[in-house]
Amino acid sequence: MPTSDLSPDARRRALAGIDVTTYDVLVIGGGVTGAGAALDAASRGLSVALLEKRDFAAGTSSRSSKLLHGGLRYLEQADFALVREALQERSLILTRLAPHLARPVPFLYPLKHRTWERAYVGAGVALYDALGGRRPAVPRHRHLSKTAALRLAPSLAEDSLTGAVRYFDAQVDDARFVVTLLRTAASLGAVCLSGVTVTSFLEEDGRVCGVHAHDAETGSEHTVRARVVINATGVWTTGMERLAGVAEPILVKASKGVHLLVPRERIESEVAWILRTDKSVLFVIPWSSHWVIGTTDTSWSHDRDHPAASAADVRYLLDHVNRQLRPSEALTEADVVGVYAGLRPLVSRPESDSTDTTRISREHVVRLGKPGFVSVAGGKYTTYRVMAEDAVDLAAEQLGVPVDASRTRDLPLLGARGLPTARARVHEHPAASIIGPGATQRLLRRYGSVVFELLDAVTRTPSLAQPFPGSEDYLLVEAHHATAAEGALHLEDVLTRRTRVSIETRDRGAAAAPVAARVMGNVLGWKDSTVTTEVKRYLARLEAESNALAMPDDESADVSRSAVKDPRLVA
């Protein structure tokens, strides 16, 4: 009987049966597009397996700007269809699919020039609103005087603007959204496995019919058969197509995007900012008790599993944001609490040999690389559902039998169904009095109606109501839940993706690591030696990232960061 958990027991059962089942669809890649494809296929009644070589969302899908947006800057590139599509998807997520995970955010667009720029930007934002539809999920834009703009954002330097336009986009915890997609897919029967690497492909009569795979957790080897395989591996798309023997693989370029976190009190503003730079735009976005500042957009040709931020990246972001701040409020490296780097998968068009990743379109590509093998690449986080639908549509053509149309436009994700009732009754739960109203509300915002699973766990084990050492915003029950129901297998999974302790605390989770590891160990049956190993490995990763941040360029930062690998990638 399908359940919505990604529990250790579910993983063991899945591994035991995966070699003797032929699935309709096998998805490779556990990021947002792969998770979306698994959900789309499972919701059509197809049998589905998903394999991810690391943790779910370990790549690009946990390292974004945390935005659901149409891409205001793509209007200048005349990508109107892309913007419209993304804004429609933004509305779906906000209102129907995941209202518990996504929320509107007001943005300020400072204007530097009088008259012409207000007309130009105003027309663009008006078009942005119009493309969002007649019933937008967010308020429409407003023009602001300089005085009104500074009232909303006092930290802006007075000489940095002549006025502003306020508009709305939306925000989401990208990694949590992916896990929610996967749990929803699992509730419909999909088998979702992390820590399983595809090592080669099976072929019969020139048709891909499955894969050979290695489970990093147990060391076991598996043969997974499927009627069609979907390659949803993001920046690894080219390599996966080559492994499958595709004659002319899709060329996907990796563009590095680095983000900084600084304390909320360091910038006084009621709204997020979008700031123009020489090449692109810079976001300053509220994130709990922090601001996220990003992003860079530079070509990356090094280790794609562990992209590294360098001193040059940090300096670039600080320099650009400081140009907009009052001189007395300028940020320094000492203000930076957290740093993370991710890679955008940009499909390189054959007609262009440009290395400038800011000019490559964000539209996605879905194609049949060879019989039985579908690849989906490119695109934006916000349009994951459309990418997944397109991929499954093409996969369905390979099955040779009638397949239902996509249903995911009308399929609320786990935690969305019953959300109004959960909001009304969550504080009546016995555990709510143990953890307090503030923490209860934070759990509700992260988990929606699933919050009762965590509150029930606190009722059974009241010690789980304690916060992580050094991070009061997260409770130990979240480490328990991540391990028991969300597929977390290593300490990094909990501190980096199921929670954001690793980027939201100055020690980046060093104090929380031993306690969180013990909570995980209670679920996974770890010995004391395993707990110690997990903590040491996590601290070594922190040191490698810190060393990379001291390096002047990508090459030296890559050497420093690559010194510590994800345990699932170590042979």
Side-chain angles (χ1 to χ4, degrees), residues 491 513-514 517 529-543 564:
L491 183 57
S529 58
T530 304
V531 171
T532 300
T533 297
E534 285 287 325
V535 173
K536 286 182 176 179
R537 184 184 291 128
Y538 180 76
L539 296 180
R541 193 204 94 186
L542 297 187
E543 183 178 6
V564 179

Side-chain angles (χ1 to χ4, degrees), residues 349-369:
R349 306 296 176 182
E351 64 272 15
S352 172
D353 61 357
S354 172
T355 58
D356 182 0
T357 57
T358 66
R359 296 184 179 275
I360 299 177
S361 172
R362 298 303 301 276
E363 291 184 53
H364 65 273
V365 172
V366 176
R367 73 157 192 181
L368 187 69

Side-chain angles (χ1 to χ4, degrees), residues 209-550:
C209 59
V211 301
H212 294 294
H214 171 77
D215 175 35
E217 302 301 319
T218 64
S220 58
E221 304 294 330
H222 298 273
T223 299
V224 187
R225 295 188 173 274
R227 295 177 177 87
V228 61
V229 176
I230 295 178
N231 169 26
T233 54
V235 295
W236 295 271
T237 298
T238 305
M240 193 59 66
E241 287 214 324
R242 285 174 176 153
L243 186 65
V246 175
E248 296 183 9
I250 297 172
L251 297 181
V252 175
K253 297 192 177 201
S255 167
K256 186 176 71 166
V258 175
H259 295 79
L260 314 179
L261 273 77
V262 301
R264 193 71 170 268
E265 62 268 18
R266 283 297 285 113
I267 298 176
E268 187 179 359
S269 180
E270 298 176 25
V271 292
W273 305 348
I274 179 172
L275 309 169
R276 292 193 71 96
T277 67
D278 297 338
K279 289 187 175 182
S280 183
V281 295
L282 187 74
F283 292 117
V284 180
I285 310 164
W287 177 260
S288 185
S289 58
H290 300 83
W291 293 97
V292 172
I293 300 172
T295 174
T296 62
D297 192 344
T298 56
S299 181
W300 177 261
S301 58
H302 305 287
D303 185 354
R304 297 192 175 194
D305 290 312
H306 304 100
S310 69
D313 294 320
V314 174
R315 189 69 260 160
Y316 170 88
L317 293 171
L318 291 178
D319 285 347
H320 277 78
V321 75
N322 282 339
R323 291 174 190 172
Q324 311 297 322
L325 291 170
R326 295 175 183 269
S328 61
E329 299 183 32
L331 300 172
T332 69
E333 285 86 348
D335 293 309
V336 177
V337 174
V339 181
Y340 63 94
L343 300 177
R344 303 176 191 86
L346 305 181
V347 177
S348 181
R349 306 296 176 182
E351 64 272 15
S352 172
D353 61 357
S354 172
T355 58
D356 182 0
T357 57
T358 66
R359 296 184 179 275
I360 299 177
S361 172
R362 298 303 301 276
E363 291 184 53
H364 65 273
V365 172
V366 176
R367 73 157 192 181
L368 187 69
K370 60 192 307 184
F373 185 77
V374 171
S375 285
V376 52
K380 290 162 50 64
Y381 192 103
T382 310
T383 58
Y384 83 90
R385 194 198 63 80
V386 177
M387 295 169 65
E389 178 180 338
D390 289 349
V392 176
D393 281 346
L394 184 53
E397 294 177 10
Q398 292 287 296
L399 293 176
V401 296
V403 176
D404 290 347
S406 176
R407 299 176 176 178
T408 53
R409 283 184 62 88
D410 301 305
L411 180 61
L413 302 187
L414 195 69
R417 186 171 290 128
L419 184 59
T421 301
R423 286 171 172 163
R425 302 192 61 180
V426 66
H427 292 289
E428 299 175 6
H429 193 284
S433 61
I434 300 175
I435 68 175
T440 300
Q441 198 61 34
R442 286 195 295 272
L443 291 179
L444 180 63
R445 286 197 297 268
R446 286 185 194 128
Y447 300 92
S449 57
V450 174
V451 67
F452 295 108
E453 294 181 8
L454 288 88
L455 295 177
D456 288 346
V458 169
T459 301
R460 294 190 297 269
T461 311
S463 61
L464 293 175
Q466 296 299 312
F468 283 21
S471 182
E472 299 297 311
D473 285 347
Y474 297 100
L475 305 182
L476 295 183
V477 69
E478 296 184 74
H480 170 87
H481 182 74
T483 314
E486 295 183 337
L489 298 174
H490 293 278
L491 183 57
E492 174 185 340
D493 304 346
V494 168
L495 296 182
T496 305
R497 287 172 288 275
R498 305 304 185 279
T499 70
R500 297 303 188 149
V501 173
S502 68
I503 58 172
E504 293 180 4
T505 58
R506 286 203 174 273
D507 73 348
R508 295 159 61 224
V515 179
R518 284 195 290 273
V519 172
M520 293 186 71
N522 289 337
V523 178
L524 294 171
W526 286 348
K527 298 177 181 179
D528 288 346
S529 58
T530 304
V531 171
T532 300
T533 297
E534 285 287 325
V535 173
K536 286 182 176 179
R537 184 184 291 128
Y538 180 76
L539 296 180
R541 193 204 94 186
L542 297 187
E543 183 178 6
E545 290 177 343
S546 179
N547 290 340
L549 282 171

Side-chain angles (χ1 to χ4, degrees), residues 548-568:
L549 282 171
M551 296 296 110
D553 51 39
D554 282 354
E555 289 76 14
S556 53
D558 174 63
V559 171
S560 294
R561 176 59 187 92
S562 297
V564 179
K565 302 283 189 183
D566 185 298
R568 286 155 283 215

Side-chain angles (χ1 to χ4, degrees), residues 31-34 36 60-61 64-75 77 79-90 93 128 169-170 172 174 177-178 181 234 281 283 343-347 349 360-365 376-388:
V32 69
T33 306
T60 306
S61 294
S64 72
S65 296
K66 324 301 183 201
L67 289 178
L68 298 170
H69 65 130
L72 188 60
R73 70 186 176 106
Y74 299 128
L75 290 180
Q77 301 172 11
D79 278 342
F80 302 125
L82 173 63
V83 174
R84 180 188 293 110
E85 181 178 80
L87 290 176
Q88 290 173 349
E89 293 302 308
R90 181 193 70 180
I93 295 169
Y128 197 65
D169 258 319
V172 71
D174 47 10
F177 189 86
V178 172
L181 280 170
V281 295
F283 292 117
L343 300 177
R344 303 176 191 86
L346 305 181
V347 177
R349 306 296 176 182
I360 299 177
S361 172
R362 298 303 301 276
E363 291 184 53
H364 65 273
V365 172
V376 52
K380 290 162 50 64
Y381 192 103
T382 310
T383 58
Y384 83 90
R385 194 198 63 80
V386 177
M387 295 169 65

